[in-house]
Amino acid sequence: MTTSNKSVKKNSNPRPHIGNAFEVSLCTEVNQACPNCGNPLFISKSGKRWRNYEIAHIYPLNPTAQEINLLKGEKRLSIDPNHEDNLIPLCFPCHNIYDNPKTVAGYRDLVKKKENIIRLRVQQNVFSQYHLEIEISKIIESLCKDDAQFDESPLNEAKRVDDKLDTTITPFAKRKIKNDVTSFYLFVRDRFADLERSEPGKAVLIAHQVKTFYLKQKTLSTNQQEIFENVVSWIKSKHSSSSETAAEVIAAFYVQNCELFE
Ligand SMILES: [Zn+2]
């Protein structure tokens, strides 16, 4: 599909007029890269940016009889083919491959990719709604200092993590959380204690905020892997300079401290 106004066959769905903001948002959702091959959606030439994509309908706008039959019983992301949930930018070659001919495998793959995008979009809204005191940055910065010294926790401490995590979290993530607890729990706990002394109530408030965010996540998913990753991204989103690693350490601290996965 293109965004130009072409003549429309009788009884067929009209091509949507896609405004600039709408198109920009669809491109931003895929990080300005074709979700199928990773090629950039924009090309720089002669000091200008040129589009290297088309907006594809995941479920066809005007499916042929063959496509209707092929996709019968398949999940639809929206009944309206022009709904944003059914649209995704693809580079020209990938759009051509996707449409000619349409395959069930290709359709399912793109549905899955778009579902992940929609999930992220929902999370972005949640992230902005749930506040986290700015003082969390003090803890994150202390982790990243050149002279930071970390005393390891006794090994049996991290074993408690096993009781809280189920099979919806990968063994890799579980091991990483346990390692972070062993290596950094005491350090982070002491920094929160320092914060509590200098600003009474602040560390307790932050712990409550983490708990509240977790409870919200629990209403959206039962998958611990997904929830943990969202907690990390949320912490990171509240402290722009924080590394993923530091945010993971803070999230692991709250697993051990029972705010997460109680
Ligand atoms: Zn592509």
Side-chain angles (χ1 to χ4, degrees):
M1 170 201 118
T2 65
T3 53
S4 60
N5 287 326
K6 289 183 179 170
S7 60
V8 177
K9 274 186 284 174
K10 236 183 176 175
N11 298 327
S12 65
N13 286 315
R15 291 177 184 280
H17 170 72
I18 299 186
N20 279 345
F22 188 25
E23 193 157 329
V24 166
S25 74
L26 289 171
C27 292
T28 306
E29 283 182 340
V30 295
N31 296 319
Q32 300 189 30
C34 172
N36 275 1
C37 72
N39 273 339
L41 295 186
F42 298 95
I43 294 172
S44 294
K45 212 161 119 189
S46 312
K48 286 186 178 168
R49 302 264 275 165
W50 302 88
R51 47 187 296 174
N52 186 38
Y53 68 90
E54 290 173 316
I55 302 293
H57 286 89
I58 298 171
Y59 188 90
L61 177 62
N62 293 301
T64 62
Q66 200 185 8
E67 285 173 334
I68 290 173
N69 192 39
L70 183 77
L71 301 176
K72 198 164 57 189
E74 291 295 319
K75 181 191 279 187
R76 297 269 301 262
L77 293 173
S78 173
I79 291 304
D80 172 10
N82 286 326
H83 189 278
E84 63 173 328
D85 289 351
N86 190 52
L87 299 174
I88 195 163
L90 292 179
C91 73
F92 297 114
C94 284
H95 193 186
N96 188 31
I97 292 167
Y98 182 66
D99 279 346
N100 303 301
K102 191 84 73 215
T103 64
V104 172
Y107 176 78
R108 286 180 184 167
D109 180 58
L110 213 49
V111 164
K112 212 169 156 193
K113 282 171 177 157
K114 187 69 187 190
E115 279 181 327
N116 284 335
I117 290 167
I118 294 168
R119 212 173 288 131
L120 270 177
R121 194 198 297 151
V122 170
Q123 284 299 331
Q124 296 293 336
N125 284 331
V126 175
F127 288 7
S128 63
Q129 282 163 13
Y130 284 75
H131 185 67
L132 186 60
E133 293 295 295
I134 190 69
E135 284 72 15
I136 189 80
S137 61
K138 289 185 181 172
I139 315 295
I140 288 172
E141 280 158 14
S142 67
L143 273 165
C144 302
K145 276 186 181 160
D146 290 342
D147 58 351
Q149 288 191 356
F150 307 110
D151 294 326
E152 290 210 343
S153 301
L155 280 174
N156 57 335
E157 276 287 304
K159 279 198 180 133
R160 286 201 282 146
V161 170
D162 278 333
D163 302 333
K164 296 171 198 163
L165 301 179
D166 60 30
T167 54
T168 60
I169 196 154
T170 63
F172 173 70
K174 195 186 272 193
R175 171 60 69 92
K176 197 162 179 316
I177 292 168
K178 283 173 78 171
N179 286 347
D180 280 350
V181 166
T182 305
S183 302
F184 306 112
Y185 178 78
L186 292 180
F187 180 87
V188 175
R189 187 196 63 186
D190 290 349
R191 296 297 78 73
F192 274 122
D194 292 344
L195 176 65
E196 194 61 21
R197 269 190 294 276
S198 62
E199 295 181 63
K202 196 59 98 173
V204 177
L205 175 57
I206 291 174
H208 278 280
Q209 289 170 332
V210 171
K211 180 86 186 179
T212 307
F213 180 78
Y214 165 67
L215 293 175
K216 172 65 182 177
Q217 291 297 318
K218 262 180 77 176
T219 67
L220 298 172
S221 172
T222 54
N223 185 293
Q224 290 190 333
Q225 181 80 29
E226 207 177 303
I227 293 176
F228 187 78
E229 284 173 9
N230 286 335
V231 171
V232 171
S233 300
W234 174 64
I235 292 171
K236 206 166 170 282
S237 74
K238 299 297 177 186
H239 182 60
S240 55
S241 62
S242 84
S243 70
E244 184 94 4
T245 323
E248 282 169 1
V249 167
I250 301 288
F253 169 83
Y254 282 118
V255 173
Q256 176 74 355
N257 224 35
C258 295
E259 275 75 17
L260 305 178
F261 311 125
E262 78 280 44

